[in-house]
Amino acid sequence: MSKAFIAAVLQDSLDCTGVAATKAADDLVGAIVAELKQEGGFTLPSFGTFSVQKTKARKALNPRTGEPVKVKAGKTVRFKASPVLKKAV
């Protein structure tokens, strides 16, 4: 799913212009990102939960050369689907 898809759905359901739908889609994605940064998680009922998880520093292999490379610790976003979504799919 992309922002363009979200904008198209919003445009059809709200019967608004493409510019307004694109702005609404951008605002929606921006609000989700801001919530993930502030709270560390975001839940959409009957859809699922997004959460920020810390990753540990580790060693990996460069696929081109095969030599070991150090990967720094960081953060990633995880998604857990709700039971309603799992049943629907």
Side-chain angles (χ1 to χ4, degrees), residues 4 8 14 37 45 48 51 56 61 72:
L14 298 176
K37 283 182 180 179
S51 61
K56 296 180 181 179
L61 293 177
K72 295 179 182 179

Side-chain angles (χ1 to χ4, degrees), residues 22-87:
T22 302
K23 173 94 170 90
D26 287 339
D27 291 345
L28 175 67
V29 172
I32 292 172
V33 170
E35 187 71 14
L36 285 171
K37 283 182 180 179
Q38 284 182 350
E39 302 296 325
F42 179 76
T43 301
L44 283 171
S46 73
F47 185 72
T49 302
F50 296 89
S51 61
V52 177
Q53 300 287 321
K54 292 181 181 178
T55 59
K56 296 180 181 179
R58 61 187 171 87
K59 292 182 183 177
L61 293 177
N62 182 333
R64 183 173 288 171
T65 63
E67 64 186 53
V69 178
K70 291 181 182 177
V71 178
K72 295 179 182 179
K75 295 179 184 177
T76 188
V77 177
R78 304 283 168 108
F79 175 74
K80 183 177 180 187
S82 73
V84 174
L85 179 63
K86 287 181 183 179
K87 224 176 198 182

